Each structure stands twice: as structure tokens, then as C-alpha cells.
Amino acid sequence: MDAVDATMEKLRAQCLSRGASGIQGLARFFRRMDRDRSRSLDAGELQRGLAELGLVLDTAEAQGVCRRWDRDGSGTLDLEEFLRALRPPMSQVREAVITAAFAKLDRSGDGVVTVDDLRGVYSGRAHPRVRSGEWTEEEVLRRFLDNFDSSEKDGQVTLAEFQDYYSGVSASVDTDEEFVAMMTSAWRL
């Protein structure tokens, strides 16, 4: 394990020690630190932001993390990629059940779940806000889909976004058996 991997493991452990919302809380904090709304931070911003949270990195560690996850060579760290890297890896069993749930939702089989795909799997008619006339069923389906979408809500959820959502859930479930049981029940697999 190289120094950047060791740093990521240290950050992951510190986030997970804060509970299941540790990584999500870090995401919210980073979005506040991203003052220019570029969705990226340089090594100094990363170092200062993590220090405020009590996650101390030295300058070399912060620069190494930025270099490792800087996908476009801009010298800054893309927040989505960084947050994805912080989430703990999942077992093949967990990945398989997530893929099965996604396949059930992706009725068109095109690798993207849309509101049209959801219509055949999920009904919003009984939702209290639909029943009261406040929302349409379309709005309920869109809001449901938004739970799994990335921070840029485009009305389409890819397998990678679905896996990313469930990797966050997975971090708070102790065993593969519990995770598979939860997914099987939730998605009626």
C-alpha cells in the first residue's frame, strides 16, 4: 500500500468512525468549502477543510491525494471522485445484489433508469402528496429517482450512480447476509 492509499484508508476510517453519515457529512462540508462552485478543491483547500473536521493531513499527503484523484490534470480534486474513493470497497456478493436490483429497475435494458422505467416497477399513486393533489405521480417518481442520481440531477440513473448510492448504505451494514437480505426485501428480488 502506497502513501496515498494509506492516507485514504486513514480518512475512510475517520469518516466511518463518525457513523454511516460520516462520508455524506464530509460531502456537504466540501461543497461549502467549494466557494467558486467548481466542484473541485486544490491541495490547500483540501488540507484546511479536513483540518477543520479534525482530519489532519500534512502538505505532502494532501498533494498526493489531489494528484491521485485529479482526473483532468487541472491540479484540483474532483469532489465526486474523491467521495467515491472514500467509500469502503464492497464484496462481490453485495455488488451482485445491487446489479440485480438495478436490472429490475432498468426495464428498457439500456443501462439507464428513467422515470419511464420506474413506472413499471414503482407506483406513486398511494403517496400521500399524490393523494392530496399536491404532487403528480410523475413528480413522485422523479423524486424517488433523484435519491439515486448523482449531485447533478438529470433524471437518469446509471449503474455506477446506483452502486455509488448503495456503497454508502453498504458501509453501515455489517455482514453480506444482512445486506443481501435488506436488498432482496426492498427490491423484491
Side-chain angles (χ1 to χ4, degrees), residues 84 87 90 94-106 111-113 118 121 144-150 156-170 179 182-183 186-187 189:
R84 188 169 287 151
R87 291 202 171 110
M90 289 187 292
R94 292 180 189 217
E95 288 180 2
V97 76
I98 291 167
T99 301
F102 182 84
K104 182 174 182 176
L105 290 176
D106 183 17
V112 177
V113 175
L118 286 181
V121 182
F144 179 76
L145 193 63
D146 284 350
N147 287 307
F148 307 102
D149 209 348
S150 66
Q156 299 182 358
V157 174
T158 64
L159 176 58
E161 289 171 327
F162 198 70
Q163 288 171 325
D164 189 41
Y165 172 85
Y166 274 108
S167 70
V169 173
S170 176
F179 187 80
M182 176 202 67
M183 291 293 292
W187 295 108
L189 300 176

Side-chain angles (χ1 to χ4, degrees), residues 56-121:
V56 178
L57 296 181
D58 65 32
T59 301
E61 288 173 318
Q63 289 171 343
V65 169
C66 280
R67 273 193 306 276
R68 172 72 55 88
W69 299 108
D70 176 14
R71 301 292 184 215
D72 62 4
S74 66
T76 61
L77 180 64
D78 178 273
L79 298 180
E80 295 298 326
E81 290 292 334
F82 179 68
L83 295 171
R84 188 169 287 151
L86 273 178
R87 291 202 171 110
M90 289 187 292
S91 70
Q92 289 180 340
V93 170
R94 292 180 189 217
E95 288 180 2
V97 76
I98 291 167
T99 301
F102 182 84
K104 182 174 182 176
L105 290 176
D106 183 17
R107 296 186 45 98
S108 65
D110 63 358
V112 177
V113 175
T114 63
V115 168
D116 288 336
D117 289 314
L118 286 181
R119 279 193 186 95
V121 182

